[in-house]
């Protein structure tokens, strides 16, 4: 399910100027695909400003998200891969952003669980970080 | 934000002091009764039993405080470290080291904890026991020597300083000011220095001329302590409230002032009410121009009345009553305005039910402890802002590991404020600790930086495995 969800929602970008921009670009496919409203993107940025960079759940990887009521239309997930990492607050380097939008807990948890499985594999981060194109990124996700 | 941080820190510190003193109240009371009953001026003097008095107050009580304080910082191992470190103080000083124990106990534990963290991953398998015991032994040895060599000079200087200040205050002629020094000095067990070193000689000199002296009363008035304990009996909470009436008997009728010291030590702000009570007592005594004919020992109401010369009764009794009333009022105000910590503390007592657990909830948030506790862990909650993103990832990852180890533990994700009461542990991101500890002051909180793989999660997993083996 994760692979299917991400198929059309992956972007690979060389670099971004700041973490806010990273979240915006990462979330664009979700907005265009009708998963979220524009305001959800602002809410995600706001969330990091307010609560600190806890969305950086492991070195190099962030999962920007906010609450369902902040503008989620349907459950979805998108991925942004940066070739040059960007700094989140507190100097946290991030090169992968998985944007989460949750509206339905079953499907959301299923996606989360698959994502967790992927990230718990020892070499997952290495593979993802060396991927250079949408196709290569997608190949890492099974 | 800053303010709130400060506030929760102050609260946690108050809870910490309370957590150190309360579990040991029983020991204080036992000592108080033994003293009031059996010392040569007690109710039923008994030379043999009175031999217990000195060692109990010099060794037992400070060691208990040190052990409890150390344990709050770094569990059993911290408690042992605290006791060893404090022993140097006890032997090095010739006065009971209560405050010293309350500093040295937690400090020693903290040092051992830091050491443990430092060598944690470097112990070769199979050597844990040897290394743990020897490291504690050697650090303990150093702490003990350190505190032993340090304390003598410190006390000497403190005595000197107090003597100088008191002599200065006496010269001003405005005696109520003496309370500003007397009361803190009493709680620090420097009362013998001031009474026998300064006030009694001054008093005796006075007595030769006037047949009585107010100096015998400036530090021995039982009124302020009575007021404090009365306020605790009415407005205190839980253990401190329940023990206060017994303490009144020991203090007011038995003249053992030391029994009220722990009540002040667990809420240091109360020194204000002691000072005001003491000062108003001295003021009243001098207003009535009364005195005692000798130094009351112990400072009970009976000793007071027995040493009151004819015609001075009204003044002496009024002075005691005024001091009682003032200290009662001020203490009541302070207790009422700072009820929160006490309530938090009592709540955590209720929850944990075990003495061992006391105060830990409040402290966890303050010290960011991840120490091993003895209560069962059946439910681990991952918390974040919405309860959907990072906490869901964290819970999902941890659940997989828990299942792999064959542990039957519930792992679930929640928004911070929606963690259910049954959760035994809350795991959250470091930057959300403040909010989490405000919402759950009594729960054990573990902070992490990496939701997928974090050393604190590894520690918890080890702890869970250990528990399973024991069970």
């Amino acid at each position: 399910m994760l692979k299917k969800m991400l198929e059309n929602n992956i972007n690979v970008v060389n670099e971004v100027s700041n973490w806010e921009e990273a979240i915006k670009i990462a979330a664009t496919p979700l907005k265009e695909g009708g998963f979220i409203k524009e305001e959800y993107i602002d809410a995600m940025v706001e969330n990091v400003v307010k609560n600190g960079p806890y969305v950086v759940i492991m070195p190099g990887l962030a999962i920007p998200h906010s609450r369902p009521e902040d503008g989620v239309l349907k459950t979805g997930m998108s991925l942004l891969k940066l070739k040059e990492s960007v700094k989140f607050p507190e100097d946290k380097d991030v090169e992968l952003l998985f944007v989460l939008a949750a509206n339905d807990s079953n499907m959301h948890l299923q996606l989360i669980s698959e994502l967790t499985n992927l990230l718990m594999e020892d070499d997952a981060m290495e593979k993802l970080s060396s991927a250079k194109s949408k196709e290569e990124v997608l190949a890492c996700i099974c | 934000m800053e303010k709130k941080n400060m506030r929760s820190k102050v609260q946690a510190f108050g809870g910490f002091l309370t957590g150190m003193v309360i579990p040991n109240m029983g020991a204080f009371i036992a000592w108080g009764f033994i003293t009031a009953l059996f010392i040569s001026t007690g109710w039923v003097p008994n030379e043999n039993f009175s031999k217990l008095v000195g060692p109990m107050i010099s060794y037992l009580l400070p060691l208990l405080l040190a052990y409890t304080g150390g344990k709050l910082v770094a569990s059993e191992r911290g408690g042992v470290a605290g006791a060893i470190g404090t022993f140097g103080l006890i032997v090095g000083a010739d006065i009971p080291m209560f405050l010293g124990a309350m500093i040295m106990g937690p400090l020693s534990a903290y040092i051992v904890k830091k050491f443990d963290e430092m060598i944690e991953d470097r112990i070769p398998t199979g050597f844990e026991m040897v290394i743990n015991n020897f490291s504690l032994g050697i650090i303990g040895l150093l702490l003990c020597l350190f505190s032993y060599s340090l304390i003598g000079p410190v006390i000497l200087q403190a005595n000197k300083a107090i003597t100088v200040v008191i002599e200065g205050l006496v010269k001003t002629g405005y005696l109520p000011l003496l309370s500003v020094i007397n009361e803190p000095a009493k709680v620090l067990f420097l009362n013998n220095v001031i009474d026998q070193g300064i006030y009694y000689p001054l008093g005796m000199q006075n007595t030769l001329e006037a047949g009585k002296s107010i100096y015998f009363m400036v530090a021995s008035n039982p009124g302020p302590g009575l007021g404090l304990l009365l306020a605790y009996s009415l407005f205190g909470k839980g253990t401190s409230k329940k023990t206060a009436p017994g303490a009144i008997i020991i203090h007011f009728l038995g003249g053992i002032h030391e029994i009220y010291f722990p009540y002040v030590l667990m809420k240091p702000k109360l020194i204000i009410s002691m000072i005001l009570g003491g000062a108003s007592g001295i003021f009243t005594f001098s207003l009535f121009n009364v005195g005692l004919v000798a130094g009351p020992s112990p400072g009970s109401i009976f000793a007071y009345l027995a040493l009151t010369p004819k015609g001075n009764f009204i003044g002496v009794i009024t002075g005691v009553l005024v001091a009682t009333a003032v200290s009662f009022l001020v203490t009541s105000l302070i207790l009422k305005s700072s009820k929160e910590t006490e309530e938090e503390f009592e709540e955590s007592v209720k929850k944990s039910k075990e003495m061992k657990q006391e105060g830990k909830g409040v402290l966890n948030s303050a010290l960011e402890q991840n120490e091993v506790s003895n209560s069962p862990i059946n439910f681990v909650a991952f918390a974040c802002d919405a309860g959907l993103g990072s906490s869901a990832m964290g819970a999902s990852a941890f659940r997989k590991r828990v299942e792999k180890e064959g542990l039957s533990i519930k792992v679930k994700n929640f928004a911070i404020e929606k963690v259910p009461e049954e959760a035994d542990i809350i795991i959250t991101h470091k930057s959300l600790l403040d909010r989490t500890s405000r919402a759950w002051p009594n729960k054990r909180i573990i902070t992490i930086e990496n939701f997928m793989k974090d050393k604190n999660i590894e520690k918890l997993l080890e702890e869970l495995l250990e528990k399973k083996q024991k069970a």
Side-chain angles (χ1 to χ4, degrees):
Chain A
M1 186 153 73
L2 182 66
K3 191 164 191 168
K4 196 157 176 281
M5 171 59 75
L6 289 174
E7 230 165 23
N8 300 313
N9 292 346
I10 298 179
N11 274 319
V12 179
V13 169
N14 275 330
E15 59 181 324
V16 291
S17 50
N18 54 42
W19 64 267
E20 290 96 331
E21 198 198 337
I23 292 183
K24 277 193 193 107
I25 297 175
T28 311
L30 288 182
K31 205 189 96 194
E32 283 169 0
F35 292 90
I36 56 169
K37 297 190 212 161
E38 170 85 38
E39 63 192 69
Y40 187 71
I41 300 178
D42 297 333
M44 288 190 290
V45 171
E46 183 61 24
N47 183 26
V48 174
V49 172
K50 205 175 78 194
N51 292 313
Y54 77 92
V55 295
V56 183
I57 57 162
M58 56 195 282
L61 187 140
I63 49 162
H65 61 280
S66 190
R67 295 157 185 263
E69 63 268 27
D70 292 334
V72 178
L73 300 170
K74 58 186 184 189
T75 298
M77 196 182 280
S78 65
L79 169 59
L80 172 65
K81 160 86 174 73
L82 298 168
K83 287 181 182 160
E84 289 292 322
S85 66
V86 66
K87 282 207 185 310
F88 267 62
E90 293 176 20
D91 258 350
K92 294 190 185 283
D93 284 311
V94 168
E95 53 175 316
L96 285 164
L97 291 93
F98 283 91
V99 176
L100 313 182
N103 191 8
D104 145 311
S105 70
N106 270 339
M107 184 174 165
H108 174 64
L109 286 177
Q110 182 63 38
L111 285 171
I112 287 276
S113 173
E114 284 182 36
L115 179 57
T116 312
N117 274 343
L118 172 68
L119 298 177
M120 280 174 85
E121 282 174 32
D122 289 333
D123 53 352
M125 275 307 279
E126 267 170 50
K127 275 202 245 159
L128 279 169
S129 104
S130 59
K132 288 180 193 69
S133 64
K134 280 186 194 187
E135 289 68 27
E136 285 181 42
V137 172
L138 202 59
C140 304
I141 299 162
C142 40
Chain B
M1 204 53 191
E2 284 272 301
K3 253 189 184 165
K4 268 177 191 152
N5 278 338
M6 240 342 254
R7 190 168 151 262
S8 52
K9 271 187 195 147
V10 168
Q11 278 184 1
F13 182 66
F16 186 71
L17 294 180
T18 314
M20 222 181 319
V21 174
I22 284 279
N24 299 310
M25 266 333 281
F28 275 91
I29 290 176
W31 172 84
F33 271 119
I34 289 175
T35 309
L37 288 171
F38 302 125
I39 56 173
S40 57
T41 45
W43 293 322
V44 279
N46 182 315
E47 207 183 320
N48 266 328
F49 286 162
S50 71
K51 283 182 191 152
L52 293 167
V53 172
M56 267 181 100
I57 197 167
S58 303
Y59 300 109
L60 178 70
L61 299 180
L63 282 179
L64 283 172
L65 288 176
Y67 180 83
T68 316
K71 198 173 165 184
L72 287 173
V73 173
S75 45
E76 229 91 47
R77 197 168 155 77
V80 175
I84 308 176
T86 303
F87 207 79
L89 290 186
I90 294 175
V91 178
D94 48 7
I95 57 171
M97 274 285 110
F98 284 27
L99 191 80
M102 289 172 81
I103 296 168
M104 199 61 203
L107 179 70
S108 309
Y110 181 77
I111 290 172
V112 166
K113 188 176 152 192
K114 283 286 143 196
F115 176 83
D116 287 351
E117 277 168 17
M118 218 168 65
I119 61 154
E120 197 174 30
D121 303 322
R122 299 183 198 163
I123 304 180
T125 329
F127 286 87
E128 291 88 352
M129 186 94 93
V130 178
I131 292 183
N132 283 341
N133 282 331
F134 274 88
S135 63
L136 182 55
I138 292 165
I139 295 173
L141 158 94
L142 295 175
L143 288 168
C144 194
L145 294 179
F146 168 75
S147 63
Y148 177 81
S149 359
L150 191 75
I151 192 64
V154 167
I155 303 245
L156 199 70
Q157 291 309 317
N159 284 351
K160 267 193 201 154
I162 281 186
T163 312
V164 169
V165 175
I166 288 185
E167 279 168 354
L169 286 176
V170 167
K171 271 193 199 126
T172 67
Y174 195 66
L175 298 182
L177 279 181
L178 290 173
S179 290
V180 177
I181 299 298
N182 290 346
E183 301 303 330
K186 274 177 85 170
V187 176
L188 295 180
F189 284 87
L190 294 167
N191 48 338
N192 280 337
V193 184
I194 55 176
D195 259 345
Q196 272 141 38
I198 309 170
Y199 293 140
Y200 288 7
L202 278 174
M204 281 181 256
Q205 216 176 323
N206 257 355
T207 319
L208 289 179
E209 295 154 15
K212 64 181 181 188
S213 173
I214 193 171
Y215 287 114
F216 290 132
M217 314 166 89
V218 287
S220 61
N221 186 349
L226 175 64
L228 173 107
L229 293 171
L230 280 174
Y232 259 109
S233 313
L234 291 176
F235 305 117
K237 282 266 166 188
T239 317
S240 52
K241 179 185 174 124
K242 283 174 212 143
T243 52
I248 289 180
I249 300 177
I250 297 170
H251 164 74
F252 193 64
L253 306 180
I256 311 302
H257 289 211
E258 285 86 343
I259 196 75
Y260 78 70
F261 298 173
Y263 295 86
V264 179
L265 286 173
M266 65 187 162
K267 218 178 254 298
K269 246 193 257 170
L270 290 175
I271 199 69
I272 300 169
S273 54
M274 301 312 294
I275 292 174
L276 293 176
S280 57
I282 300 176
F283 179 74
T284 315
F285 292 142
S286 46
L287 203 65
F288 282 87
N289 193 23
V290 293
L292 296 183
V293 295
S297 175
S300 70
I301 188 66
F302 300 127
Y304 254 60
L305 296 177
L307 295 171
T308 305
K310 258 183 206 162
N312 278 350
F313 280 103
I314 295 180
V316 168
I317 293 171
T318 316
V320 173
L321 289 180
V322 166
T324 307
V326 169
S327 121
F328 172 77
L329 286 175
V330 180
T331 308
S332 306
L333 275 179
I334 292 176
L335 285 181
K336 280 191 165 174
S337 69
S338 56
K339 245 180 186 171
E340 251 166 288
T341 22
E342 193 97 339
E343 266 165 19
E344 272 170 22
F345 174 71
E346 292 299 336
E347 226 170 82
S348 76
V349 174
K350 246 185 261 159
K351 263 184 213 140
S352 53
K353 283 190 186 148
E354 288 168 67
M355 268 304 206
K356 295 168 189 170
Q357 293 293 97
E358 279 192 25
K360 206 171 267 174
V362 187
L363 292 170
N364 272 336
S365 45
L367 305 174
E368 277 186 54
Q369 296 259 109
N370 300 315
E371 86 217 344
V372 181
S373 76
N374 291 325
S375 55
I377 298 168
N378 301 316
F379 187 174
V380 175
F382 276 74
C384 69
D385 177 57
L388 288 168
S390 14
S391 64
M393 300 274 302
S396 167
F398 190 62
R399 195 181 306 120
K400 286 183 177 124
R401 304 205 43 194
V402 164
E403 278 165 8
K404 206 169 145 203
E405 301 287 356
L407 296 163
S408 58
I409 287 165
K410 191 170 161 191
V411 182
K412 238 182 123 50
N413 52 296
F414 302 94
I416 291 173
E417 284 76 14
K418 291 190 180 137
V419 172
E421 195 60 54
E422 308 88 75
D424 298 306
I425 291 184
I426 301 176
I427 299 181
T428 192
H429 190 267
K430 204 180 62 164
S431 63
L432 295 170
L433 172 66
D434 253 7
R435 190 169 133 198
T436 313
S437 52
R438 244 176 288 140
W440 299 102
N442 302 314
K443 277 210 194 303
R444 177 164 166 208
I445 299 166
I446 292 179
T447 59
I448 53 178
E449 281 196 81
N450 180 339
F451 276 92
M452 306 306 294
K453 207 174 200 171
D454 194 284
K455 68 174 183 356
N456 288 342
I457 288 191
E458 298 303 320
K459 265 195 220 164
L460 175 64
L461 202 65
E462 272 168 37
E463 188 189 329
L464 293 171
L465 284 170
E466 232 168 73
K467 275 198 169 103
K468 189 193 167 198
Q469 277 179 355
K470 276 183 199 161

